[in-house]
Amino acid sequence: MELLKKSDLLIRIEQSLETMRDFLRADGGDVELIDIEDDMTVKIRLLGQCRSCSMSVMTMKAGIEEAVRKAIPEVKEVIAINEEDLKLI
């Protein structure tokens, strides 16, 4: 992926995540954008209460992924990675 295109995509993804942050923060959570892969998979990390919430899968698919894909339809999927995965990046 071209550096300029990737930079633009990361900005657009961050803007879409910003639309979700008030909801996440209201419950003690947040989300951090980690990267977008060449295959258009977005990697995020759930923070705070979102990491251990039983509804985090629903938050990911019905909230975060939907917001990102609405803003950037080319995104294939949004996946949450954990601390161990981050060490491998």
Side-chain angles (χ1 to χ4, degrees), residues 5-85:
K5 181 180 178 186
K6 184 173 183 173
S7 175
D8 178 56
L9 286 171
L10 291 171
I11 290 168
R12 291 172 55 204
I13 293 165
E14 191 62 51
Q15 290 170 338
S16 69
L17 292 177
E18 196 59 40
T19 67
M20 297 298 301
R21 286 204 165 95
D22 286 344
F23 302 108
L24 299 172
R25 289 175 179 157
D27 290 328
D30 205 347
V31 61
E32 175 185 18
L33 174 59
I34 302 299
D35 200 6
I36 183 167
E37 300 294 317
D38 289 340
D39 70 352
M40 298 301 287
T41 297
V42 174
K43 292 183 178 181
I44 62 163
R45 180 170 57 160
L46 296 173
L47 304 170
Q49 294 298 320
C50 289
R51 289 184 307 188
S52 59
C53 176
S54 61
M55 296 300 291
S56 64
V57 172
M58 192 67 141
T59 299
M60 274 290 301
K61 293 298 173 188
I64 296 170
E65 184 172 69
E66 185 176 310
V68 170
R69 293 186 77 198
K70 183 177 179 182
I72 305 107
E74 304 89 6
V75 167
K76 183 176 85 173
E77 71 176 325
V78 178
I79 59 171
I81 61 174
N82 57 38
E83 297 297 322
E84 291 77 36
D85 295 333

